[in-house]
Amino acid sequence: MSSMRQQRILIPARTVAEWGGLHEWVVDGAADLIAAGHDVTVVGGPGLFEQRAQEVGASYLTIDWDQWEAEVDRIADTGPYDIVFAHAPQARMLALKLPKWPGSRIHVMVHGAYHDYVYTWADQVESIAAASPCLVDFLTRIGKIEPWKIDMVPNGVSDHVFDLPMHTLEERLEDGVGRIVMASRLARDKTMQIDAAKEALAACSRLRPDVTWQLDILGDGPLRDRYEREFRRFTADNPRVQTTFHGWVAPEEVPRRMNTAVIGLVAGMGGIRTLAAGALCIGVGARGSVGVQVGSNLRAGLWTNFGDHGTPQFTPTSITSDLERVLQPGAYEEAVGFARTAARRTRSGSVVRDALLTALQCG
């Protein structure tokens, strides 16, 4: 536990889906801050977010984000807070409307490649945290923020996930089924994953025709019907491919499934989970594809949150050609082993926890 005094920390987080990477980041961050001896209150919408925040020991204030301005006084009455740590634009707006309690400070976390007019309010906050190296660059070049004011606090995954057993390619296929796992919100900003999944499934089916390829989709969202239609048509033309929609699963279930999958086709938080769990990762996010996570693609994946935050002047190598090279005994194990080591060094839960405590200067 930190030797610093306990601080009261308010975390407003504007989210748009029932669950997703932002929710997980906030819940994990709240757990780390509580473990360091601080008192944490999360502000967010009702539902699964509230349940999981409370499970790690945080207090929770439910808010209607469409009417957030009417909620300012109610939330202010629960103060004072030493730190307000806001996530997403409306949460940042709320943070700046709260009273300036003596000694309190505001920190803002940026999770996506949106400028949020940061140059108009940066002087009112203590610091800005960015979820990837790409966003640090974005905030300095596009947002015109002084580099010293920005901390990189990336997505991470619990250290124990890196210790899950490493399975060979043949062990993953020994029951005659090869699994490709997608873990994502089924929303417009993730639709590039559809074509990438089709390309990966077609390549895998051609390279290993002795195997039935199973696409497991973990997640839900407003475009689920479109995903179901697309993959229903695809599987009708590819009899060795099956697709199952599992809906939202518990966060701890995702790395367990990745651990025995051949491929995880993901972005953001899912990318780190895939690398940590020891599966081959294909990164396709809101801003583009960074391909199979080997070589320069892996560098770009870690830099951009696996395609979620943009890859200017970068073109990934072909998914099909990379799978032809990597989907072989020996080559597969070498690729996933190095990617797992790279992620452990830079994105393990303990590394992220220390970055968070340092950024907020509270442990």
Side-chain angles (χ1 to χ4, degrees):
M1 181 177 292
S2 170
S3 60
M4 296 184 70
R5 68 176 179 85
Q6 182 188 62
Q7 300 193 57
R8 294 197 72 208
I9 302 174
L10 185 73
I11 307 181
R14 168 70 162 108
T15 55
V16 296
E18 174 70 5
W19 192 252
L22 175 57
H23 303 78
E24 292 184 34
W25 202 105
V26 171
V27 170
D28 288 347
D32 286 337
L33 291 166
I34 291 166
H38 303 298
D39 181 272
V40 174
T41 299
V42 174
V43 180
L48 194 55
F49 192 23
E50 178 177 9
Q51 173 190 328
R52 291 186 174 158
Q54 290 175 332
E55 285 173 354
V56 301
S59 301
Y60 197 92
L61 298 174
T62 303
I63 189 173
D64 177 358
W65 282 110
D66 291 332
Q67 305 291 331
W68 68 267
E69 290 179 280
E71 305 271 25
V72 172
D73 289 343
R74 177 176 66 88
I75 292 168
D77 286 344
T78 67
Y81 292 95
D82 301 293
I83 295 172
V84 180
F85 184 32
H87 300 254
Q90 283 173 301
R92 183 270 306 167
M93 295 177 197
L94 171 67
L96 293 177
K97 288 286 188 181
L98 291 170
K100 303 300 186 289
W101 294 290
S104 70
R105 58 191 189 275
I106 299 171
H107 300 261
V108 174
M109 179 86 189
V110 175
H111 291 269
Y114 50 82
H115 62 70
D116 188 25
Y117 305 98
V118 62
Y119 41 82
T120 67
W121 52 261
D123 61 328
Q124 301 176 59
V125 304
E126 180 77 9
S127 73
I128 302 170
S132 73
C134 174
L135 291 183
V136 174
D137 177 66
F138 181 88
L139 287 166
T140 53
R141 287 192 306 108
I142 307 301
K144 307 302 182 185
I145 305 305
E146 301 91 337
W148 60 264
K149 200 164 191 171
I150 305 169
D151 294 284
M152 207 269 280
V153 188
N155 290 336
V157 63
S158 298
D159 289 14
H160 71 83
V161 176
F162 291 92
D163 296 323
L164 291 171
M166 184 70 85
H167 303 287
T168 67
L169 176 61
E170 293 308 311
E171 287 171 342
R172 296 169 196 265
L173 299 175
E174 63 184 359
D175 61 355
V177 177
R179 296 186 179 276
I180 296 179
V181 176
M182 294 173 64
S184 177
R185 286 181 294 106
L186 306 184
R188 185 174 63 180
D189 62 333
K190 306 297 184 185
T191 53
M192 283 185 286
Q193 294 179 346
I194 295 173
D195 286 342
K198 290 177 181 178
E199 181 180 354
L201 287 162
C204 289
S205 297
R206 180 173 54 81
L207 293 166
R208 291 298 299 259
D210 56 316
V211 171
T212 296
W213 288 91
Q214 170 70 41
L215 178 65
D216 289 316
I217 299 177
L218 315 181
D220 212 327
L223 294 190
R224 176 166 175 163
D225 287 347
R226 175 179 171 184
Y227 279 71
E228 289 179 340
R229 286 196 307 272
E230 294 267 6
F231 287 117
R232 189 162 51 243
R233 286 195 292 264
F234 182 80
T235 55
D237 296 330
N238 295 270
R240 298 294 290 174
V241 174
Q242 301 172 354
T243 303
T244 303
F245 286 76
H246 297 269
W248 291 115
V249 301
E252 60 271 16
E253 180 68 16
V254 176
R256 285 200 290 265
R257 298 209 184 201
M258 293 297 187
N259 182 243
T260 55
V262 177
I263 295 169
L265 198 155
V266 285
M269 191 76 75
I272 288 298
R273 284 195 168 136
T274 301
L275 299 188
L280 187 67
C281 179
I282 298 176
V284 184
R287 299 285 175 168
S289 171
V290 287
V292 178
Q293 292 297 280
V294 293
S296 60
N297 290 354
L298 175 61
R299 184 187 302 275
L302 290 170
W303 197 77
T304 67
N305 206 24
F306 302 94
D308 260 353
H309 299 156
T311 51
Q313 300 180 339
F314 175 77
T315 301
T317 50
S318 158
I319 289 174
T320 297
S321 62
D322 281 339
L323 290 178
E324 289 172 350
R325 180 171 54 85
V326 174
L327 209 65
Q328 306 288 340
Y332 181 90
E333 290 77 21
E334 181 179 356
V336 299
F338 178 78
R340 187 185 224 189
T341 298
R344 186 194 292 267
R345 289 170 175 161
T346 60
R347 301 293 194 275
S348 63
S350 55
V351 169
V352 174
R353 177 201 64 216
D354 291 346
L356 172 63
L357 294 176
T358 301
L360 299 186
Q361 297 184 345
C362 63

